[in-house]
Amino acid sequence: MESSRIALLQQMPLFGGISEGALQLLLDVSRDVRVKAGGYFFREGEPGESMFVLESGTVEVRKKAPQGSLVLSRLGPGDCFGEMALIDLAPRSAAVQALGDCSGFEIFAAGLHRLYERDLEQFALIQMNMARELSRRLRATDERLLG
């Protein structure tokens, strides 16, 4: 399973160009996660110290709004979410709800810190990839709001 997870991560923008060894280090301290349909990976406002990689199922990213819950996006296998918590260490800015039974794994800030201690170059590359992905998402949101 580890080799399939490494292959999955290498196809994702956040982990593009990252060595197998660095990814294995992150996976060594990751946790398998299963969420039943209707359940939450996390809720808006909860403390955040990890990100998730979805291996099966579909989720919706939801944000509280004056008119109720607003769906920001729908994600499926091979997508990740929650990575903002690894950058700003702030509470979760949105909730992620499973539309069907989901499975994946959780990568913790502590795993990234471990990578920082062992391979600063690979750590820096992941941080740059995260910044690029967040920038891409911000641009897409701007287009939806203004376009």
Side-chain angles (χ1 to χ4, degrees), residues 22-39:
L23 295 174
Q24 186 62 58
L25 189 122
L26 293 176
L27 289 173
D28 286 346
V29 293
S30 70
R31 175 178 76 96
D32 290 344
V33 177
R34 296 195 188 292
V35 177
K36 295 281 188 195

Side-chain angles (χ1 to χ4, degrees), residues 113-127:
H113 187 265
R114 197 167 149 198
L115 180 60
Y116 165 79
E117 293 175 330
R118 295 196 182 170
D119 192 334
L120 185 57
E121 185 176 307
Q122 292 290 286
F123 172 82
L125 186 54
I126 290 172
Q127 294 298 306

Side-chain angles (χ1 to χ4, degrees), residues 10 19 21-22 25 27 29 32 56 74 88 94 99-100 111 127 131 134 138-139 141:
Q10 287 177 326
S19 72
L25 189 122
L27 289 173
V29 293
D32 290 344
S56 69
R74 187 175 279 195
D88 64 11
L99 296 181
Q127 294 298 306
L134 291 174
L138 179 59
R139 287 178 190 273
T141 299

Side-chain angles (χ1 to χ4, degrees), residues 5-17:
R5 284 184 171 175
I6 288 173
L8 175 65
L9 290 172
Q10 287 177 326
Q11 293 175 23
M12 299 170 61
L14 257 57
F15 299 103

Side-chain angles (χ1 to χ4, degrees), residues 90 111 146:
L146 304 173

Side-chain angles (χ1 to χ4, degrees), residues 55-68:
E55 292 179 294
S56 69
T58 305
V59 300
E60 282 185 342
V61 180
R62 300 173 168 271
K63 179 98 175 131
K64 291 178 187 171
Q67 67 272 27

